[in-house]
Every structure is written in C-alpha cells, then in structure tokens.
Amino acid sequence: MNGLNDCQGRLFLESVALGEVASRFGTPCYVYSRKALTDTYAAFDAAFSGIDHLVCYAVKANSNLAVLNLFARLGSGFDIVSGGELQRVLAAGGDPAKTVFSGVGKSSPEILAALEAGVLCFNVESASELSRIDRVAGEIGRLAPVSLRVNPDVDARTHPYIATGLKDSKFGIPFEEARSLYRRAATLPHLRVVGIDCHIGSQLTETAPFLAALERVLTLTDELAADGIVLEHMDLGGGLGIRYREEVPPDIAEYAGAIRNALAGRPQRLILEPGRFLVGNAGLLLTRVEYLKHGSQRNFAIVDAAMNDLARPALYDAYHAIVPVLRRDGRPRRYEVVGPVCESGDFLGHERDLTVEEGDLLAVLSAGAYGMAMSSNYNTRPRAAEVMVDGGALHLIRERETVVELFSLEKPLP
Ligand code: LLP
C-alpha cells in the first residue's frame, strides 16, 4: 500500500493522520492518496514512453468523479463498460475521444450515447453486437469505430471469477472466428474497423500470459493485414496485478519491457486498460471496532465496515492486510475481523493477529480498486464516505449516504 506511514505509533496517509479522517468524516470511510494515484499513473505511463500509446483507465475499478478527474488531468483516457460509466467520464471532464467502450452486453441506448459522445472505439464482443452497432450508427448517419475483442484462449492463472481469456468464458470473440468476423465488419456500411482488443483477466501475477495473448493478437493482426484490413491500434486490456500479500506481480518495467519487445517495429498505437494497478494500492478502508467477542474457539473483532462496503473477501476470498491505526503495546490476539451484516460470509479478514480494543480504528489496506465501486446497500447500510488526502489536506469526495436516500425511490402500494 502506497503513501502509508507510521509516525510514533499512529498511522498516516501522506501527511494526514487516519484518526483525524475518522473524527471528521466518520467510519466506514474510504481514504485515497492523491500522490499515490498520481505517482502510479505517471510510472505506468512512463514505462511505455517512446512508443505511441494511450492509457485508458478502467473506470470500473474506482469510478469516483474525483479519481476520474485526476486521471483525466494527467492525460488518461478511459475504458468504460456501461452508459453509466460514460456519463461519469463526461461529468469528470474525461475526453470521449480517448475512451474505449468494452463489455459483452451493450444496449442500443448505450451504443447510441457512446456514438453521440464520440468515443474512440467500441470493443465488440460478438457478431450480434457488431450488427447492432452497425444498425444504430446507420440510424443516426454515423460511422462507428470498432475493434474486435478476441478471446485468445490463454490461461491468466488468476481467480476463476476474474479470468476472462479462456475459451469457455463469456468474453470476446473466439480466436478462430475473429478473422472472418473482421472481414464481415469491413463490409458493413456504418462501421470503421480501427483496432484489435483482448483482456484475459485481472490480478495477473505473471508476464507470460500477457505475452501469450499478445502473440495471438499479433498473428491475427498480420493475417488481417493480408486480407487488406489494416488496424490502427492494439488494445491489450488491463490485468496487471498488485501486491496484496505475498504475490510478486511483475513490476511495471518488466511488464512494459516485455510488451515493448514483442511490439518492436509495429506501427499500431498501443492501448492499455489498467484498473487495479492504478488505484488498488492508493486507497484503504477505514473502520472502527464496535465490539470484541472473545470465545473458546475464535475471537471476533466486529467492525463497522462489512461485506457491503468491501465485497472482495466474501466474494473471492481475497486477502487485504488489516492494521491498527493506533499501535498498542501488548500481546496480540488472533481475530476474525467481521462486519455487522447478517451472513457468515461477512468477513474482512481471517485469523488476524491484532492488539486492539473496542473503539479502535483499523485500516483495511489496498482497497482502492473494486472496493467502493462494488459496494452495495445490503442490510440497508448507507455506503461509506470517500475522502482524498492531498499532502496535508483532506477532501470529501463522496458524502456518506443517508438512510432516507436509500429508500427515497421506493413507494408503498396505494
Ligand atoms: N478491461 C476490461 C475489459 C476489463 O474487464 C477489466 C476488468 C479491466 C480492463 C481492468 O482490469 P484490471 O487492470 O483492474 O485488472 N472485481 C474483481 C476484478 C474484476 C475485473 C473485471 N474486469 C476484483 O475485485 O478482483
């Protein structure tokens, strides 16, 4: 986790004490570091310097407008998967001409909105979608820029829920069918074929699967050139993993270097869609211990954040480090760190050795990606506030929801 430091037993993000964040904004609360976001973006971008490239931040990882606006200011483009994400990008000052539209289920209104906004391209995931985009574009007299998302049938060796590049996945166009679909795309009147795309999964900790996918993309690109279909860009998707615990993902230089070598001499512009890598280690979830429950079998630290705030542990059995905000002396006890939600799957961490007391704050680390973005209102829990630390300054970038807001769209029967 970046930007975190311990000052005489008190935990700070940049120059802000997390205790101060909690007293000002309450808990649970997501806290991000502007410096960590900025530095990570800069490092990612710089790793590809010298080659024509565009970073399209995957909005789904963290779609807060302040985060999107920060990346837009740094020059980032965006990878979106819904009309909602498109509206967020536009509201945050993102450039639609640097925005790619991914996803297997784009609806006609979403396609229309993206065409009207002028997105860089549609990453098309099926033959039917291709026809639909052609039709919608025709209806408004536009030419839709398209790229086919091919499924390279590569094992990303990650959690099965977040692997997307295998044959049996719902994602992408089967590799064997891609060439003929490209030929068809080239004949459709309202399409302009601009690129090729793949995304094989998330939280990858090895370079080899990326290279295997890239190799297939390059083969197809050459075959297409032989067919007279010349592509302007290659989009390698996102997926670069981060360190949550003991993983050792490739560092950015290794990842970029390998891609660079494989692409040597290619005229196409490179597009990348990193999500987690840019935001994951720039944010944490701040929570307070409500109760300690010591038992003969297990001890529970019951905190005020739950699976509705951070779903990753419950959903993927994902590990997030959990550390006290105030270091206490004394022998640690082993705790199940759990939330108030009425499900046994509601946990944030298993078997954590902590020296804590009721009322203490805990920081759940590396929660900047797929944390708030996947949160819900289960158990009628208002979603957490979000705060951005900037040096010594604190900015509330999303207010805590109120319960009344949660049911304001509901109506009793007449
Ligand atoms: N591009 C496409 C088409 C994607 O589907 C994704 C992520 C990305 C880019 C960004 O991938 P990243 O660089 O973040 O790995 N909720 C899960 C992760 C789901 C990823 C979905 N697609 C988690 O919390 O681990």
Side-chain angles (χ1 to χ4, degrees):
M1 168 89 204
N2 305 323
L4 204 63
N5 48 82
D6 183 303
C7 184
Q8 294 170 342
R10 292 194 310 149
L11 207 56
F12 283 67
L13 190 60
E14 296 192 35
S15 312
V16 174
L18 291 173
E20 187 197 333
V21 177
S23 22
R24 277 187 59 188
F25 302 108
T27 53
C29 181
Y30 275 97
V31 196
Y32 311 114
S33 156
R34 177 179 187 166
K35 183 174 188 315
L37 292 168
T38 306
D39 291 353
T40 311
Y41 179 86
F44 191 93
D45 193 41
F48 292 95
S49 66
I51 49 177
D52 183 15
H53 71 283
L54 177 66
V55 178
C56 289
Y57 166 63
V59 172
K60 64 171 81 69
N62 185 325
S63 55
N64 185 289
L65 291 197
V67 173
L68 301 183
N69 173 259
L70 181 60
F71 286 139
R73 288 197 229 176
L74 294 171
S76 185
F78 298 94
D79 165 47
I80 56 168
V81 290
S82 69
E85 288 190 350
L86 173 63
Q87 284 190 37
R88 278 186 179 273
V89 166
L90 298 176
D95 184 354
K98 289 186 187 171
T99 299
V100 297
F101 191 176
S102 305
V104 288
K106 304 173 192 76
S107 70
S108 299
E110 286 177 321
I111 293 167
L112 185 61
L115 279 170
E116 282 173 342
V119 296
L120 173 60
C121 88
F122 292 87
N123 289 337
V124 178
E125 302 229 13
S126 65
S128 305
E129 184 193 330
L130 195 70
S131 308
R132 190 186 287 192
I133 295 175
D134 179 60
R135 179 171 53 73
V136 176
E139 281 164 10
I140 57 162
R142 291 278 180 90
L143 210 51
V146 294
S147 187
L148 297 195
R149 174 173 177 179
V150 298
N151 182 330
D153 193 24
V154 164
D155 185 357
R157 291 197 268 181
T158 182
H159 190 288
Y161 286 11
I162 53 176
T164 50
L166 278 174
K167 238 188 188 132
D168 61 356
S169 135
K170 71 174 175 181
F171 297 99
I173 290 154
F175 195 77
E176 317 70 60
E177 295 166 27
R179 190 172 177 181
S180 67
L181 196 58
Y182 263 107
R183 288 205 199 116
R184 187 162 150 245
T187 66
L188 291 175
H190 309 293
L191 301 183
R192 194 166 74 83
V193 176
V194 294
I196 184 163
D197 169 50
C198 76
H199 169 79
I200 57 173
S202 196
Q203 183 56 14
L204 269 69
T205 51
E206 299 165 67
T207 311
F210 287 115
L211 291 181
L214 179 52
E215 204 174 295
R216 304 212 80 184
V217 163
L218 293 177
T219 305
L220 188 55
T221 303
D222 292 340
E223 289 172 0
L224 292 173
D227 294 343
I229 300 172
V230 179
L231 304 178
E232 294 166 20
H233 74 244
M234 281 177 199
D235 180 339
L236 294 185
L240 181 58
I242 62 167
R243 188 172 185 135
Y244 287 99
R245 192 182 194 175
E246 283 144 1
E247 311 88 330
V248 192
D251 69 20
I252 181 62
E254 181 188 339
Y255 168 78
I259 294 174
R260 220 180 244 283
N261 289 343
L263 287 182
R266 297 270 173 177
Q268 282 86 9
R269 178 190 214 191
L270 172 67
I271 294 181
L272 297 145
E273 303 171 356
R276 187 190 319 266
F277 183 83
L278 296 185
V279 293
N281 270 326
L284 57 85
L285 174 61
L286 191 60
T287 182
R288 195 176 288 282
V289 178
E290 292 282 1
Y291 299 103
L292 293 177
K293 203 169 162 181
H294 298 127
S296 58
Q297 303 290 318
R298 299 209 276 188
N299 301 318
F300 294 94
I302 302 165
V303 300
D304 64 3
M307 65 189 286
N308 74 295
D309 299 300
L310 180 63
R312 302 193 70 256
L315 200 54
Y316 317 114
D317 209 14
Y319 179 93
H320 287 264
I322 301 177
V323 296
V325 167
L326 176 73
R327 194 178 347 115
R328 291 186 181 280
D329 296 328
R331 217 160 58 86
R333 280 171 122 136
R334 182 154 290 186
Y335 286 102
E336 294 295 300
V337 180
V338 301
V341 162
C342 300
E343 299 229 12
S344 296
D346 177 28
F347 71 94
L348 298 177
H350 290 308
E351 302 191 338
R352 303 305 174 88
D353 294 333
L354 297 166
T355 306
V356 278
E357 292 181 9
E358 290 183 357
D360 280 5
L361 293 169
L362 296 175
V364 183
L365 305 187
S366 310
Y370 306 108
M372 184 66 177
M374 291 175 72
S375 65
S376 78
N377 296 118
Y378 189 38
N379 280 204
T380 305
R381 290 171 48 83
R383 273 179 295 176
E386 288 178 290
V387 170
M388 181 85 72
V389 167
D390 182 7
L394 267 177
H395 303 284
L396 180 63
I397 59 168
R398 191 181 205 270
E399 287 178 37
R400 183 177 306 286
E401 285 174 343
T402 65
V403 172
V404 172
E405 281 167 346
L406 300 193
F407 54 71
S408 65
L409 300 176
E410 301 168 26
K411 288 185 182 59
L413 293 174

